[in-house]
Amino acid sequence: MKQQISKWLSILLPIFLGVFLIVYTYQKFTPGQILEIKSYFKNANYSYIVLGIFIAFLGNASRAYRWKFMLEHLGYKTSFYNNFMAVNICYLLNLSVPKSGEISRAVILKKYENVPFDKGFGTIVAERIVDMIVLLTFMLAAFFMQFRIVKEFILDKIPMQKLLVFATVATVVGVGLLLVYLYSKLPWILALKQKVSGLKEGVMSIVHMEKKMEYFLHTIFIWCSYLVMFYLTLFVIPETSNISFGATMTAFVVGSIAIAFTNSGFGSYPFLISKILLVYGIAETAGNAFGWIVWTSQMLLVVVLGVLSFLLLPVFNRSK
């Protein structure tokens, strides 16, 4: 029962947050501003969106190919097409249940490539750790390039004392759980350790794999593709086409955070993008329209590739 409640909360809370942000944003706009937003959608140059989607498609393909390097180290030669379709399905499922897509990737690999779930999932965890490090690198770059803006937009609004208390409590609880895991002889903990051993092997594959340089280069390409896609979409409307590189980097980071920590940024992506662009002098109506155009194009790619992958995955493997 508790698991069901937790599952539904993980689905519904981000959706409710997104709906709240949408209602909160649009109730502030006058009828004239609503018409202005509609005009941005009507007059946008969607050729840049098409080009941006193509760049993002290449990023997805690179992510699927990069996955092979860790799996090969574990002794599994997987099909690029299965990896690619698993990645697409992962993104699609993450639109509903946050992080459920990562589990689906390991399940697909187990079913079609006979890779043990714990090892496959371990490689995905390692991949997410790498992605988090890259995102933090972008955040630091934006922080130093646009210190005043970041300070006003984020740092000044963080309740540091409450955050410190939370971090202290979380650290104490984490250390306690770690000690229980390391020294307890309870049967269920011993069984958990056995499962974690396979997960650990998958995670450590990124450290011991032979093709580290290839993996690193694909990682650079993946994140550059995301940044280039975002940069190209700035030319969709005239108001965003002339912002500085520092502003581009800051907006990209804010958008990436919105997507990473919610149901792929529903509601939160346009809201946060419009707020950060407002700091750079771009009207909130233009920023909101831009945010929705970019977010919708990204989700269109996710849905189309995800649905096609769902349909083609069993067909492709039946013909092997």
Side-chain angles (χ1 to χ4, degrees):
M1 184 65 180
K2 289 183 179 180
Q3 289 182 341
Q4 288 293 327
I5 294 174
S6 177
K7 176 182 177 181
W8 280 107
L9 285 176
S10 68
I11 297 172
L12 295 176
L13 285 179
I15 294 175
F16 286 149
L17 174 62
V19 172
F20 169 76
L21 290 174
I22 292 170
V23 173
Y24 173 77
T25 300
Y26 282 90
Q27 72 176 2
K28 297 191 307 179
F29 291 143
T30 65
Q33 288 175 314
I34 297 294
L35 290 175
E36 184 182 345
I37 292 173
K38 290 181 179 179
S39 71
Y40 286 121
F41 282 95
K42 181 179 179 180
N43 300 317
N45 187 344
Y46 288 101
S47 60
Y48 288 104
I49 290 294
V50 174
L51 185 56
I53 287 177
F54 175 70
I55 297 296
F57 173 85
L58 294 180
N60 282 9
S62 180
R63 180 177 292 276
Y65 193 83
R66 182 185 67 168
W67 196 12
K68 290 167 63 74
F69 300 136
M70 285 190 289
L71 294 169
E72 285 177 357
H73 171 75
L74 297 175
Y76 302 99
K77 290 190 176 295
T78 57
S79 162
F80 164 75
Y81 298 104
N82 280 340
N83 289 359
F84 182 63
M85 288 185 281
V87 167
N88 294 331
I89 292 171
C90 165
Y91 288 147
L92 180 63
L93 292 181
N94 279 341
L95 293 180
S96 56
V97 183
K99 307 310 176 187
S100 63
E102 279 68 23
I103 297 174
S104 76
R105 281 176 63 179
V107 170
I108 290 170
L109 219 60
K110 172 72 169 66
K111 181 176 182 179
Y112 293 109
E113 298 288 354
N114 202 30
V115 177
F117 176 85
D118 51 357
K119 293 183 180 181
F121 189 70
T123 63
I124 297 166
V125 171
E127 177 183 296
R128 289 310 186 194
I129 292 172
V130 171
D131 288 335
M132 185 57 65
I133 292 172
V134 176
L135 179 56
L136 287 173
T137 303
F138 275 106
M139 291 172 64
L140 287 173
F143 177 79
F144 287 112
M145 292 171 63
Q146 304 284 289
F147 176 77
R148 183 184 62 81
I149 298 296
V150 174
K151 183 177 183 296
E152 292 178 2
F153 188 73
I154 300 176
L155 296 183
D156 289 347
K157 299 178 182 180
I158 296 177
M160 296 304 296
Q161 290 183 338
K162 293 181 179 179
L163 188 63
L164 182 60
V165 172
F166 175 79
T168 301
V169 173
T171 301
V172 171
V173 173
V175 171
L177 292 175
L178 180 61
L179 291 174
V180 171
Y181 174 79
L182 291 175
Y183 298 108
S184 176
K185 300 299 182 182
L186 292 173
W188 67 272
I189 291 185
L190 294 177
L192 178 63
K193 286 182 179 179
Q194 187 175 1
K195 287 290 184 182
V196 169
S197 64
L199 177 66
K200 181 180 178 182
E201 186 179 352
V203 171
M204 294 306 294
S205 63
I206 196 170
V207 177
H208 302 298
M209 65 181 176
E210 293 78 14
K211 298 181 180 179
K212 292 186 181 66
M213 180 55 67
E214 290 89 338
Y215 190 94
F216 175 73
L217 292 175
H218 273 278
T219 299
I220 292 177
F221 179 82
I222 290 165
W223 279 90
C224 283
S225 72
Y226 296 159
L227 181 59
V228 169
M229 177 195 180
F230 185 81
Y231 175 74
L232 288 172
T233 55
L234 289 170
F235 295 94
V236 168
I237 61 175
E239 284 75 5
T240 57
S241 60
N242 294 315
I243 66 174
S244 66
F245 179 74
T248 301
M249 181 70 78
T250 305
F252 171 74
V253 168
V254 169
S256 298
I257 293 173
I259 289 176
F261 294 102
T262 63
N263 283 37
S264 297
F266 172 67
S268 61
Y269 186 93
F271 175 80
L272 291 175
I273 287 293
S274 66
K275 293 300 182 183
I276 192 63
L277 291 179
L278 183 63
V279 176
Y280 289 99
I282 295 173
E284 193 168 358
T285 51
N288 188 268
F290 168 76
W292 275 114
I293 291 172
V294 175
W295 183 84
T296 303
S297 66
Q298 292 177 351
M299 294 308 107
L300 178 64
L301 177 67
V302 167
V303 172
V304 170
L305 290 181
V307 171
L308 286 176
S309 296
F310 257 123
L311 297 175
L312 295 177
L313 187 63
V315 175
F316 173 80
N317 286 278
R318 188 167 58 240
S319 61
K320 288 174 66 175

